[in-house]
């Protein structure tokens, strides 16, 4: 009893003023892995963690968010204007919620969605966000990469509210059970009505999501054609991994943009990253060099990718990849 | 229709930067126009070539040498330049919120129908200025654009998302940020580089714009990322499989 009180007291002292809003991303069924990582980052900041779930028919997601470890409460904004994450609408919601509750921190997983709306929230609140936070030093101080991950800056700010996007690969995912948050309705936000969603095209795949896969097999210009990516698909399927690509492979039209790994694409940090026919430009390394084990298969022994690879194989990929698939 | 395009002078994308405790060493390093800004300039010029835009104005905030960046935009086809001069470091001292406030002043004066920026600069990797600017002006925003169509004061924009692409629609004025796939920027030809020297560049002082540019974020220190320990070259696939199974234990 006494110990519990003490613990509660000390946790209050270290983060007496912190209260964090996590803006959730979800697919209509469950929270994304990135959101679970953002909840972990929020827990590290200290203080109470509130998750904001927006979108029509998202009651299930709100309930799921409430049971995530570390979540104190869930705000649920059940309205159709939030369905396609238009920056103007999400901003209206986040600003309304912030004005009602005065959070000290607003956190979102790093993604195209958050990079779209969070600066707009920053403009409304006159606050500068921290992009792509890799680590929480204390509630005001964070680490983030610059120059394609070639410099790590420790940064702080005296803004009254801290806005952060957090890099999911920098934080473990919060457990989806063990929490007992209370769900309540978010305050109604005015409809911005500045833009309109028309349509979307997403490539569906049975493979795991690129950013959270345990294994990623990526191809570059050396693949020579989109058809040849079938070799990587087969290898990825055998390893239950995802398929990624370098910018060269995307620009050449071998695979769609959303598979791009790098400074301007997705950042991944799987257990195993297999780079096939990828030279290893600075911009590509920015998206994968935190992988636990890196394998490079390239016939050019001088390719920069070998400088970050744990295991390098100098061989024609068209021989090596089928053989690897067979032997695994 | 008038287009305003914002361009930034950054360390060239191919340079391997050297880290010092206070920031990346910028002395004697090759500088160039940020690659995403080149795409933004190209798209602006294409609007003019499609007869949708009458004038393309390029704006850059930075040291004296930012004029070279503006000349590049003019050589690509922009009509005139606006240079807002500052000696602050663009990778950490003059920050995106301040830049957006300065650009908002330019927008108020120039009244463009479309403001085009790159999606991010490759030095600070913040990806914020476009969103800030749209928010400050209360304009709709179309970030990470890979396709732009404008018809009757309405823009239809295809955006790159995490899962694919989406199309949105918004009326002008609009803030657009360019993604890699929006276009392939042209090279400035020698005759156009010569012509660009005669195009006007107006210089403004930050002090005259009435904007608070105090940095909001303080850099405590900058360090190298952790280095990876040297790897090995394996002779064949069989050895690779063996290492992955027994040494790295990842398969």
């Amino acid at each position: 009893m006494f110990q519990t009180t003490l613990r509660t007291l000390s946790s209050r002292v270290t983060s007496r003023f912190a209260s964090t809003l996590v803006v959730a991303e979800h697919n209509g069924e469950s929270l994304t892995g990135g959101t679970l990582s953002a909840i972990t980052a929020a827990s590290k900041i200290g203080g109470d963690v509130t998750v904001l779930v927006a979108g029509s028919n998202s009651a299930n997601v709100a309930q799921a968010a409430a049971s995530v470890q570390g979540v104190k409460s869930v705000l649920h904004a059940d309205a159709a204007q939030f369905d396609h994450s238009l920056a103007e609408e999400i901003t209206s919601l986040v600003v309304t919620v912030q004005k009602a509750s005065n959070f000290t921190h607003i956190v979102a997983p790093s993604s195209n969605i958050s990079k779209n709306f969070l600066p707009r929230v920053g403009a409304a609140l006159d606050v500068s966000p921290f992009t792509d936070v890799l680590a929480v030093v204390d509630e005001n101080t964070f680490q983030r990469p610059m120059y394609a991950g070639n410099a790590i800056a420790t940064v702080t700010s005296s803004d009254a509210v801290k806005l952060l996007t957090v890099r999911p690969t920098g934080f473990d995912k919060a457990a989806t059970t063990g929490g007992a948050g209370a769900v309540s309705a978010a305050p109604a936000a005015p409809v911005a009505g500045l833009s309109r969603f028309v349509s979307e095209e997403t490539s569906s795949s049975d493979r795991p999501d690129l950013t959270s896969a345990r294994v990623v097999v990526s191809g570059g210009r050396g693949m020579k054609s989109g058809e040849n990516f079938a070799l990587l698909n087969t290898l990825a399927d055998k390893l239950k991994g995802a398929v990624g690509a370098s910018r060269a492979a995307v620009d050449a039209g071998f695979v769609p943009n959303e598979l791009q790994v790098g400074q301007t694409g997705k950042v991944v940090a799987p257990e195993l990253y297999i780079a096939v026919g990828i030279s290893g430009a600075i911009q590509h390394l920015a998206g994968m060099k935190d992988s636990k084990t890196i394998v490079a298969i390239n016939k050019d022994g001088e390719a920069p990718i070998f400088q970050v690879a744990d295991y390098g194989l100098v061989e024609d990929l068209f021989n090596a990849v089928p053989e690897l698939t067979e032997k695994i | 229709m008038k287009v305003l395009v914002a361009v930034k002078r950054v360390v060239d994308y191919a340079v391997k930067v050297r880290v010092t405790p206070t920031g990346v060493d910028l002395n004697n390093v090759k500088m160039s126009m940020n690659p995403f800004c080149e795409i933004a300039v190209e798209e602006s010029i294409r609007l003019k070539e499609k007869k949708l835009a009458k004038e393309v104005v390029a704006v850059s905030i930075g040291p004296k040498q930012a004029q070279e960046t503006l000349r590049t935009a003019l050589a690509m086809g922009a009509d005139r330049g606006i240079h807002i001069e500052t000696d602050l470091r663009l990778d950490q001292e003059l920050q995106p919120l301040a830049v957006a406030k300065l650009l908002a002043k330019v927008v108020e004066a120039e009244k463009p129908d479309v403001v085009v920026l790159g999606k991010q600069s490759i030095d600070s990797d913040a990806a914020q200025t476009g969103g800030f600017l749209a928010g400050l002006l209360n304009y709709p925003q179309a970030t990470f654009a890979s396709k732009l169509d404008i018809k009757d004061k309405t823009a239809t924009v295809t955006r790159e998302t995490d899962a694919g692409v989406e199309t949105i629609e918004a009326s002008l004025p609009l803030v657009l940020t360019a993604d890699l796939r929006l276009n392939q920027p042209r090279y400035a030809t020698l005759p156009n580089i010569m012509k660009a020297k005669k195009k006007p560049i107006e210089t403004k002082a930050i002090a005259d714009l009435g904007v608070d540019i105090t940095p909001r974020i303080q850099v405590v220190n900058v360090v190298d990322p952790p280095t990876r320990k040297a790897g090995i070259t394996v002779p064949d696939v069989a050895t690779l499989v063996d290492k992955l199974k027994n040494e790295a234990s990842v398969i």
Side-chain angles (χ1 to χ4, degrees):
Chain A
M1 170 76 188
F2 174 68
Q3 273 188 334
T4 316
T5 318
L6 196 66
R7 212 178 302 140
T8 316
L9 200 66
S10 71
S11 80
R12 273 208 198 123
V13 170
T14 50
S15 56
R16 197 162 27 164
F17 303 112
S19 59
T20 301
L21 180 71
V22 176
V23 186
E25 288 178 14
H26 61 87
N27 60 7
E29 302 284 324
S30 56
L31 298 175
T32 62
T35 305
L36 296 173
S37 298
I39 291 170
T40 301
S43 302
K44 286 190 183 207
I45 290 166
D48 292 342
V49 176
T50 301
V51 177
L52 175 63
V53 174
S56 51
N57 301 318
S58 55
N60 288 346
V61 183
Q63 279 306 330
S67 50
V68 173
Q69 183 81 49
V71 173
K72 180 81 187 284
S73 48
V74 175
L75 289 171
H76 182 210
D78 194 347
Q81 81 243 37
F82 307 123
D83 280 354
H84 299 289
S85 300
L86 290 168
E88 298 84 356
E89 305 303 344
I90 301 293
T91 298
S92 171
L93 174 64
V94 173
V95 170
T96 303
V97 168
Q98 174 59 16
K99 290 198 167 142
S101 303
N102 278 317
F103 291 98
T104 58
H105 296 73
I106 301 176
V107 176
S110 271
S111 66
N112 281 22
I113 292 176
S114 66
K115 285 177 183 173
N116 190 28
F117 79 80
L118 207 65
R120 200 173 176 103
V121 172
L125 302 175
D126 196 31
V127 166
S128 246
F130 299 88
T131 306
D132 266 347
V133 166
L134 302 168
V136 173
V137 179
D138 64 37
E139 63 184 83
N140 301 322
T141 314
F142 310 96
Q143 285 189 329
R144 65 170 300 263
M146 296 170 71
Y147 289 90
N150 288 298
I152 308 295
T154 300
V155 284
T156 185
S157 98
S158 46
D159 281 332
V161 191
K162 271 57 171 192
L163 307 186
L164 298 74
T165 64
V166 303
R167 186 171 276 192
T169 57
F171 300 88
D172 294 335
K173 294 188 187 84
T176 51
T177 54
V183 181
S184 58
V191 177
L194 284 168
S195 63
R196 192 174 74 79
F197 170 85
V198 178
S199 62
E200 68 184 339
E201 276 173 59
T202 57
S203 50
S204 59
S205 146
D206 296 336
R207 289 190 193 89
D209 175 48
L210 182 56
T211 50
S212 56
R214 205 186 65 84
V215 176
V216 173
V217 181
S218 278
R221 199 193 306 274
M223 295 306 296
K224 295 203 170 78
S225 77
E227 288 73 44
N228 291 336
F229 264 75
L231 292 173
L232 304 190
N233 292 343
T234 313
L235 176 59
D237 288 346
K238 199 148 181 197
L239 291 165
K240 297 189 174 56
V243 172
S246 70
R247 177 183 168 187
V250 173
D251 282 354
F254 300 169
V255 289
N257 307 342
E258 62 270 18
L259 296 194
Q260 187 183 329
V261 171
Q263 181 184 18
T264 62
K266 293 198 165 74
V267 176
V268 302
E271 295 276 305
L272 174 61
Y273 188 87
I274 305 180
V276 182
I278 291 176
S279 64
I282 295 170
Q283 292 76 16
H284 184 73
L285 301 184
M288 46 66 79
K289 67 181 176 185
D290 292 329
S291 303
K292 186 160 165 269
T293 299
I294 297 174
V295 171
I297 301 173
N298 204 308
K299 64 182 175 190
D300 174 11
E302 301 298 310
I305 190 76
F306 287 112
Q307 290 164 20
V308 299
D310 299 283
Y311 304 108
L313 177 63
V314 183
E315 201 182 319
D316 189 330
L317 69 94
F318 294 104
N319 296 325
V321 173
E323 192 185 343
L324 180 60
T325 308
E326 189 189 318
K327 290 198 164 137
I328 278 174
Chain B
M1 193 174 90
K2 189 198 266 191
V3 179
L4 183 75
V5 58
V7 294
K8 183 177 183 183
R9 181 174 180 267
V10 299
V11 172
D12 188 84
Y13 74 92
V15 170
K16 176 93 181 73
V17 295
R18 202 175 68 85
V19 173
T20 70
T22 52
V24 162
D25 187 359
L26 298 181
N27 292 316
N28 304 314
V29 174
K30 187 187 178 203
M31 307 289 280
S32 308
M33 188 190 292
N34 181 47
F36 291 101
C37 300
E38 288 185 5
I39 298 168
V41 172
E42 176 66 34
E43 197 63 21
S44 305
I45 297 161
R46 288 186 189 188
L47 288 174
K48 197 176 155 187
E49 288 170 345
K50 283 184 217 156
K51 311 265 183 238
L52 287 164
K54 280 205 173 65
E55 189 185 32
V56 174
V57 182
V59 55
S60 192
I61 307 173
K64 277 209 160 49
Q65 297 90 324
Q67 296 219 359
E68 295 161 19
T69 312
L70 281 172
R71 289 287 169 206
T72 306
L74 298 178
M76 288 173 74
D79 297 293
R80 62 184 167 91
I82 298 172
H83 175 212
I84 300 174
E85 206 173 332
T86 174
D87 286 328
L88 294 171
R89 281 181 69 130
L90 302 181
D91 60 341
Q92 56 188 64
E93 290 172 336
L94 187 74
Q95 296 174 355
L97 185 56
V99 169
K101 287 178 179 178
L102 292 167
L103 292 176
K105 292 286 181 189
V106 177
V107 169
E108 280 164 24
E110 295 284 340
K111 302 193 169 45
D113 300 277
V114 184
V115 186
V116 192
L117 302 89
K119 78 162 176 176
Q120 76 189 64
S121 59
I122 59 164
D123 51 359
S124 56
D125 283 333
Q128 293 171 353
T129 307
F132 276 144
L133 182 61
L136 291 169
L137 297 163
N138 198 30
Y139 287 4
Q141 67 187 60
T143 57
F144 314 136
S146 58
K147 191 164 182 279
L148 167 68
D149 283 310
I150 295 179
K151 204 179 165 190
D152 302 330
K153 288 268 173 192
T154 299
T156 306
V157 183
T158 302
R159 302 180 58 246
E160 297 200 3
T161 63
D162 295 304
V165 293
E166 69 172 13
T167 301
I168 61 165
E169 209 176 72
S171 56
L172 306 186
L174 165 89
V175 173
L176 182 99
T177 76
D179 212 320
L180 279 176
R181 250 66 64 175
L182 185 59
N183 59 49
Q184 189 65 47
R186 70 193 66 189
Y187 289 104
T189 59
L190 188 60
N192 286 340
I193 292 171
M194 299 311 286
K195 269 187 235 163
K197 293 186 177 179
K198 297 202 179 90
K199 292 181 179 175
I201 293 180
E202 179 191 358
T203 302
K204 289 177 190 282
I206 284 186
D208 297 340
L209 291 168
V211 169
D212 177 10
I213 56 159
T214 314
R216 297 301 189 79
I217 289 177
Q218 289 80 41
V219 176
V220 179
N221 67 39
V222 181
V223 295
D224 281 304
T227 49
R228 296 185 70 92
K229 69 173 173 59
I232 57 165
T233 304
V234 293
D236 51 36
V237 170
T239 316
L240 176 61
V241 172
D242 174 63
K243 296 278 185 194
L244 292 177
K245 279 189 176 148
N246 301 317
E247 195 174 87
S249 313
V250 283
I251 58 172

